[in-house]
Amino acid sequence: MTGTRIVVTESLNDAGVRRLRAAADVVFLDKSLPEREQRAVLRDADVIVSQIYPVDRELIASAPRLRAVAKHGVGVDNIDVAAATERGVPVLFAPGANAASVAEHTLAGALAVARRFGELDAAVRRRDFSVRQDLHQVDLEGATIAVLGYGNTGRRVLRLAHAAFGMRGIAYDRYPQPPQALPPGSRFTSSLEDALRGADVVTVHLPLTAETDGLLGRKQLALLPPGAILVNVGRGGVVDEAALAAALREGRLFGAAVDVFTTEPPRPDNPLLAPDLRTLLTPHVGGLGRSASVAIAHMLADGILAVLGGGAPEHVVTTDYRAAAPAVSPTA
């Protein structure tokens, strides 16, 4: 496979990089380059591995050697899957590989907001212990958690919440789930309104699609009980950021932990960046725990090597790419 080039737009664990370098040249995209120069590097790729970099129709169409696009994670909203399918280019992903990591991050975020760790840390750094006298914290023990999106991650969140804090669960999904998938004391609902009305904590694990874009706006957030906590580790666009900021500023919600944003990094005018809000903001790292990073790297390496070797990758977003027009030959 001499001359084969794999371009990684953000990062990939060494466990996968070593395997790929045995078969191809692995290049990490230099984000300090001007955008047009970054795109030039990507246009020469046989494989693009992306976390959040947009692999759009224009890029896919302009990359004559492209044989696969690999998503570092699960959500593929930053990849034009339709355009890739039309080109006969498989879009690889890593389902379930980071579920445990995201679940841990979810509950850590909920607990950090409930116990106000960010504010307490800042107070101690000011050498101010007076906050101990009138600080209002929230207990997770016995509270009800609504999990929006009951896939690999949602199931882990509910199991952990029940095991660690004895939380009751409401699992929301558009698709029915078998009863044995629920921990004791939990229930399933296909009604978003039902899930929100009963939640002390709501966690978002939904992909960004036409159906979920802006799903949680002012009207939906108003259904949450006063003092509820919201954790978004799904996709930024699922939650209306202005509506969430308003609910926090008006005191209708106790706080929010947000790991994903509509635009990443968030623009300076993003309302969630306001300093007067009780928010815990992290840079889309929920699924980047060490074990998850290794698992993702191996899963993507398996798929990429299968494609480069002329085989069929196991984890592919859509299976109809083979019926689409073939990719342009590298020698064309």
Side-chain angles (χ1 to χ4, degrees):
M1 300 180 189
T2 304
T4 302
R5 171 174 285 198
I6 300 170
V7 180
V8 181
T9 62
E10 282 90 14
S11 65
L12 186 67
N13 188 273
D14 286 344
V17 173
R18 286 193 296 268
R19 293 178 60 196
L20 294 174
R21 279 187 169 150
D25 296 324
V26 179
V27 176
F28 286 84
L29 187 64
D30 184 352
K31 292 296 189 66
S32 69
L33 294 173
E35 180 65 23
R36 60 180 179 80
E37 294 184 29
Q38 293 183 39
R39 303 287 277 200
V41 172
L42 290 163
R43 282 195 294 270
D44 286 335
D46 295 273
V47 178
I48 297 173
V49 181
S50 173
Q51 283 185 5
I52 61 175
Y53 191 95
V55 183
D56 53 30
R57 179 173 291 272
E58 179 185 359
L59 175 56
I60 292 169
S62 66
R65 296 167 46 175
L66 191 63
R67 298 172 63 183
V69 177
K71 167 66 181 193
H72 191 288
V74 181
V76 292
D77 49 284
N78 64 310
I79 299 170
D80 193 326
V81 176
T85 301
E86 291 166 14
R87 269 283 310 274
V89 173
V91 177
L92 316 178
F93 70 143
N98 63 2
S101 179
V102 177
E104 290 184 11
H105 186 97
T106 300
L107 290 181
L111 184 61
V113 170
R115 307 300 292 187
R116 299 174 68 171
F117 286 164
E119 296 164 82
L120 295 176
D121 176 83
V124 172
R125 294 178 188 279
R126 297 192 305 268
R127 299 177 62 246
D128 175 12
F129 268 49
S130 65
V131 294
R132 299 175 69 249
Q133 309 306 318
D134 57 0
L135 186 71
H136 173 55
Q137 297 178 313
V138 174
D139 296 322
L140 297 186
E141 183 72 29
T144 297
I145 182 170
V147 176
L148 308 187
Y150 202 55
N152 289 317
T153 303
R155 287 193 290 271
R156 283 182 177 268
V157 168
L158 205 50
R159 288 201 301 269
L160 281 176
H162 175 75
F165 302 110
M167 298 182 79
R168 298 181 297 273
I170 304 173
Y172 163 78
D173 205 287
R174 295 173 60 194
Y175 306 100
Q177 301 288 329
Q180 61 269 25
L182 293 168
S186 297
R187 63 183 178 88
F188 179 85
T189 183
S190 57
S191 166
L192 178 62
E193 292 76 12
D194 176 37
L196 294 175
R197 285 194 177 98
D200 300 304
V201 177
V202 58
T203 65
V204 183
H205 310 279
L206 297 165
L208 183 61
T209 66
E211 291 75 23
T212 64
D213 190 4
L215 182 68
L216 297 185
R218 178 177 288 271
K219 178 181 177 181
Q220 290 75 28
L221 294 175
L223 297 174
L224 288 165
I229 292 171
L230 183 140
V231 181
N232 188 9
V233 293
R235 283 296 182 268
V238 176
V239 179
D240 183 323
E241 292 168 337
L244 176 57
L248 291 166
R249 181 166 288 110
E250 294 163 8
R252 290 185 283 112
L253 299 183
F254 184 80
V258 180
D259 187 49
V260 289
F261 302 85
T262 300
T263 301
E264 296 181 350
R267 295 191 179 96
D269 61 350
N270 187 303
L272 295 178
L273 299 179
D276 61 330
L277 301 180
R278 186 175 296 148
T279 53
L280 176 70
L281 309 179
T282 50
H284 203 154
V285 295
L288 298 183
R290 175 175 171 77
S291 296
S293 296
V294 171
I296 291 171
H298 278 304
M299 196 174 288
L300 294 185
D302 288 342
I304 291 168
L305 293 174
V307 171
L308 296 181
E314 181 178 0
H315 301 293
V316 61
V317 175
T318 177
T319 57
D320 60 354
Y321 65 92
R322 294 185 182 282
V328 178
S329 168
T331 59

